[in-house]
Amino acid sequence: MRRIAGIVLAVLLIGGVVAAVVAGREAADAEDKGTATKTVRAVIGSEKAAFFADPDVVKALAAKGWTVRAETSGSWAMEQLDLEGYDLAFPSSQAPADELADKYGVRKPLPRPFYSPLVVVAHRSAAQVLAANGLVTLDRSRGGTLRMGPFLDAARADRTWQQLKGAGKHGELIGTVYVATTDPESSNSGALYLAAASYVANGNRVVAGTAELDRVTPLMRKLVQAQGAQKSSSDATFRDFVSGVGDPLVLVYESQVAALLREGGTNVGDLTVLYPDTTATSDHTVVPLTDEGRALGDLLAADPRLRQLAVLHGFRPQGASAEFTEATDAHTAYLNQQLTGVRQAPVPTSEVLREMARRARG
């Protein structure tokens, strides 16, 4: 009997330990969830997926009473989605956001927590060849300026890498010279590239009507069709570049580069960051579909901790360049912190830009 009692006691003790471990896990889980009481559903551009998945962002949101369930989509594809049951859409620029706001009758102004300029990432060899041929100015040890006028002239003339002096020493530089972008019909970065290029091609005027659209269409078509198949996500094109299998020149968001530099990516040593001298900035804009969606958008813009975390993911918070400058001081060889020499091109209306993308795709 004593032996049986001992066995029973041991089982009870083990059970007590297991119960304590489970209770501890449940307590830890509850602590991790912080004070989160409101859950919102969001559809976001893919370039913000890492931000919302960051445990520090999850914890900061929970501390303010929020849990965000985010799904990704191309910014220009969001208009085609059924957003019933969502609290907000979070495309990567103002044009698709305005289109969504009009569709759903959303009150303006819309929250714009942060933004990111578009940049072209290049391997060092490609950047040096372009510089030797007047298409790029290398004004930092790991970065410079893409001269959009000369670059578009080269595109009009169907210039190939083989026609550029110095390219013969680099066997990987072959075929037509182009910047690889995402699909402009579904993705924000590809559409904004056409916005900036069409502005330059139209004599530094925004394309606003049919006649101007007709004038720039042949060049826009060359810029897109030289690429062949295009991805719908800037995240995918950037991963390809970093892995060494992408094109020599790839359009991405500065935020993606800044985040990679902070993380110390393995291929950073070969990276050259080119800021187009005429570009379109990606204003990440919240389209609130419910009161909770608007409250979250305002929180992302105003909360100091969330702004700090946005900077760590490479974004520039609205209205406070000092936060970005301080966070990227170690990477000024790559990044143009003050956007010196970079001109912001106005973006055509959504209707014009959609038609431009449709024509460019052929």
Side-chain angles (χ1 to χ4, degrees):
M1 289 295 294
R2 284 197 298 270
R3 186 177 298 112
I4 293 173
I7 293 172
V8 171
L9 179 60
V11 169
L12 290 174
L13 286 173
I14 292 171
V17 171
V18 171
V21 170
V22 171
R25 286 176 179 169
E26 290 176 347
D29 288 345
E31 184 177 351
D32 285 345
K33 291 177 182 175
T35 59
T37 58
K38 296 180 286 292
T39 298
V40 297
R41 290 184 67 197
V43 57
I44 64 174
S46 62
E47 68 292 326
K48 294 184 285 288
F51 172 75
F52 281 103
D54 184 339
D56 289 332
V57 172
V58 172
K59 185 179 294 185
L61 286 168
K64 296 294 183 179
W66 297 93
T67 296
V68 178
R69 293 181 179 171
E71 303 166 29
T72 61
S73 167
S75 293
W76 285 96
M78 289 181 189
E79 198 271 337
Q80 308 300 324
L81 300 177
D82 179 5
L83 297 182
E84 181 69 30
Y86 287 86
D87 295 283
L88 69 146
F90 201 175
S92 302
S93 69
Q94 191 169 353
D98 285 341
E99 192 169 84
L100 286 167
D102 292 342
K103 178 178 179 179
Y104 289 95
V106 175
R107 172 173 56 88
K108 296 179 180 179
L110 305 175
R112 291 187 294 157
F114 39 74
Y115 68 100
S116 184
L118 289 168
V119 299
V120 174
V121 290
H123 296 295
R124 191 65 181 170
S125 57
Q128 289 173 333
V129 169
L130 293 177
N133 288 270
L135 279 64
V136 159
T137 301
L138 294 176
D139 45 27
R140 297 182 301 281
S141 61
R142 292 294 179 180
T145 303
L146 177 67
R147 302 177 61 204
M148 285 293 285
F151 188 84
L152 294 179
D153 287 341
R156 284 191 190 91
D158 299 315
R159 296 281 291 278
T160 65
W161 286 102
Q162 294 94 318
Q163 293 172 329
L164 300 181
K165 63 182 180 182
K169 295 182 292 185
H170 307 283
E172 73 279 9
L173 298 179
I174 56 175
T176 304
V177 178
Y178 62 82
V179 172
T181 74
T182 54
D183 180 352
E185 289 194 282
S186 62
S187 174
N188 179 67
S189 58
L192 290 184
Y193 178 64
L194 293 187
S198 65
Y199 178 80
V200 176
N202 196 39
N204 295 325
R205 298 187 305 273
V206 65
V207 174
T210 301
E212 293 175 326
L213 191 55
D214 290 343
R215 187 181 308 124
V216 301
T217 289
L219 177 58
M220 300 303 104
R221 186 172 292 135
K222 284 191 174 187
L223 294 177
V224 170
Q225 295 188 355
Q227 302 178 45
Q230 293 175 294
K231 290 183 170 62
S232 61
S233 162
S234 62
D235 185 53
T237 58
F238 188 53
R239 285 200 309 268
D240 284 349
F241 178 86
V242 171
S243 68
V245 300
D247 295 282
L249 305 172
V250 179
L251 186 81
V252 300
Y253 295 106
E254 179 195 57
S255 58
Q256 294 169 301
V257 177
L260 177 71
L261 293 171
R262 183 180 66 85
E263 295 163 2
T266 56
N267 289 342
V268 165
D270 186 45
L271 175 69
T272 302
V273 185
L274 305 174
Y275 287 74
D277 59 16
T278 303
T279 190
T281 294
S282 178
D283 284 306
H284 296 269
T285 306
V286 173
V287 183
L289 302 173
T290 65
D291 290 342
E292 288 80 7
R294 183 171 291 275
L296 179 62
D298 291 338
L299 181 70
L300 290 170
D303 183 74
R305 176 57 176 160
L306 289 169
R307 288 170 65 92
Q308 179 189 48
L309 291 168
V311 168
L312 292 179
H313 281 268
F315 299 109
R316 295 176 181 248
Q318 295 285 358
S321 60
E323 291 170 286
F324 181 83
T325 301
E326 181 179 354
T328 58
D329 263 349
H331 307 302
T332 54
Y334 298 89
L335 303 177
N336 184 348
Q337 291 179 310
Q338 305 303 322
L339 300 179
T340 304
V342 176
R343 174 175 52 182
Q344 174 69 25
V347 177
T349 65
S350 296
E351 182 181 1
V352 169
L353 196 52
R354 280 191 179 278
E355 176 61 15
M356 188 184 299
R358 187 193 67 77
R359 292 188 184 193
R361 292 279 292 166

